[in-house]
Amino acid sequence: MKTKKSNYLRKLSSIILPILFLIFWELISRRIGNEAVLPSVTTIGKHFLQPFADVIGIGSIPKNILYSLIRVFIGYILAILIGIPLGLLMGYFDSIRYLFENFLSLFKPVPAIAWRPLVLGWFGISSLATVLGMEYGANFAIVDNFKLSMIFLIVLGAFFPIWGNTMFGVANVRTAYIESAKVLGADQKDIFFHVLMPAAGPNIFNGLRSGLTAAWACLVAAEMLPGSMAGLGYLITHAYELSRMDLVIVGIICIGFIGAGFDAIFRVIADKYFSWQRNVK
């Protein structure tokens, strides 16, 4: 009975602060009395009650969310394909780590948005449609929304957490595990796939989690680039140019909730498959 009561109180306490925040927001908005400065909660809520309405000529909110999700997942998958193999090799082979680590560390602190001028010079407004050689038409117009420059920025944002955590996880596997496997007759291949990979699994998973968060955070910077015609980042910047602060806040809320949803999924997976790590001393 006490457990049920404590769980109920815990759930109740988690929604108290958001409710108080909304009340405070509404009061301050009415006090200011200017929707161009701080829209009210009710004004923002109307957009979510009519999610499929066209907003400022760039389509509905779900449509813009879909474009953003596709961009992020393309960049995220590319970052995984590059970051995990490189991290594994650098964590396992000292010679490869010495060759690449200092060089890559030079670029790690640079925020993705700082690459915008260079990226525009390298890729211009080229897109997946131009790379695939698609003919002009309806399909070209859709695929043309996925600019190479945007994807590059998202890859940059996701790559470093994935690479760094993978390398750290493999490099810091306990020597006792490796030595025990050798005593039992394991070769280098067996050690790599059956000792290093499982032992480094929690760190690799954390890298994937941080990488997706970073990729999602780079979205606004990526969609501010020329050539963007849809997406949450474009919605925010375009709405700002039109002094539609209500839509700016709608875009921010969507980014926040989707990002929190991604993180919640990773937490559930971590609790299911990596809870054993808490008991490891």
Side-chain angles (χ1 to χ4, degrees):
M1 186 70 180
K2 289 183 178 180
T3 304
K4 289 183 178 180
K5 187 176 180 180
S6 62
N7 288 336
Y8 175 77
L9 291 174
R10 193 180 299 113
K11 292 178 180 179
L12 182 63
S13 64
S14 66
I15 64 172
I16 290 176
L17 189 59
I19 291 174
L20 291 176
F21 174 76
L22 292 175
I23 294 172
F24 179 74
W25 176 2
E26 183 71 18
L27 292 174
I28 294 297
S29 174
R30 292 184 180 184
R31 177 82 174 180
I32 295 173
N34 188 344
E35 292 281 319
V37 176
L38 183 63
S40 65
V41 175
T42 52
T43 300
I44 303 300
K46 289 177 182 178
H47 290 291
F48 291 104
L49 292 175
Q50 299 176 333
F52 295 100
D54 186 25
V55 291
I56 54 177
I58 62 171
S60 65
I61 294 171
K63 173 189 172 183
N64 285 278
I65 290 174
L66 180 61
Y67 276 111
S68 292
L69 286 173
I70 294 173
R71 288 188 184 112
V72 166
F73 280 117
I74 290 173
Y76 180 61
I77 290 170
L78 289 174
I80 290 174
L81 294 176
I82 300 169
I84 287 184
L86 185 58
L88 291 172
L89 292 172
M90 290 176 65
Y92 189 59
F93 298 105
D94 290 340
S95 58
I96 298 179
R97 183 165 71 252
Y98 296 146
L99 179 64
F100 285 102
E101 187 171 17
N102 289 334
F103 176 74
L104 290 175
S105 295
L106 293 173
F107 303 99
K108 187 176 180 180
V110 180
I113 196 170
W115 290 88
R116 287 178 60 198
L118 283 174
V119 168
L120 287 174
W122 293 341
F123 300 110
I125 58 171
S126 298
S127 66
L128 292 181
T130 56
V131 170
L132 297 173
M134 298 178 63
E135 296 182 358
Y136 286 97
N139 292 331
F140 180 93
I142 294 173
V143 181
D144 191 53
N145 278 284
F146 306 108
K147 306 295 183 183
L148 300 183
S149 54
M150 300 178 192
I151 295 171
F152 182 84
L153 289 183
I154 294 170
V155 171
L156 271 181
F159 167 77
F160 288 104
I162 295 171
W163 159 71
N165 279 275
T166 301
M167 180 179 65
F168 177 83
V170 174
N172 288 276
V173 172
R174 293 184 180 182
T175 307
Y177 297 161
I178 299 173
E179 295 300 328
S180 299
K182 288 180 179 178
V183 169
L184 294 173
D187 56 22
Q188 292 293 329
K189 182 180 178 182
D190 291 329
I191 291 172
F192 187 83
F193 286 103
H194 300 293
V195 178
L196 291 176
M197 287 289 288
N203 287 100
I204 296 174
F205 182 80
N206 286 333
L208 293 174
R209 180 178 180 177
S210 300
L212 183 55
T213 301
W216 192 244
C218 288
L219 179 68
V220 176
E223 292 182 343
M224 285 171 63
L225 293 169
S228 178
M229 295 300 293
L232 291 174
Y234 179 71
L235 171 64
I236 291 172
T237 54
H238 191 46
Y240 169 73
E241 292 170 354
L242 299 175
S243 297
R244 290 292 303 275
M245 294 304 158
D246 55 332
L247 291 174
V248 170
I249 294 176
V250 166
I252 292 171
I253 291 173
C254 290
I255 290 175
F257 270 91
I258 294 172
F262 288 152
D263 198 62
I265 292 171
F266 273 99
R267 284 202 305 270
V268 170
I269 296 173
D271 290 339
K272 184 173 182 180
Y273 295 103
F274 297 105
S275 58
W276 55 266
Q277 192 182 20
R278 299 169 187 164
N279 301 319
V280 177
K281 301 296 183 180

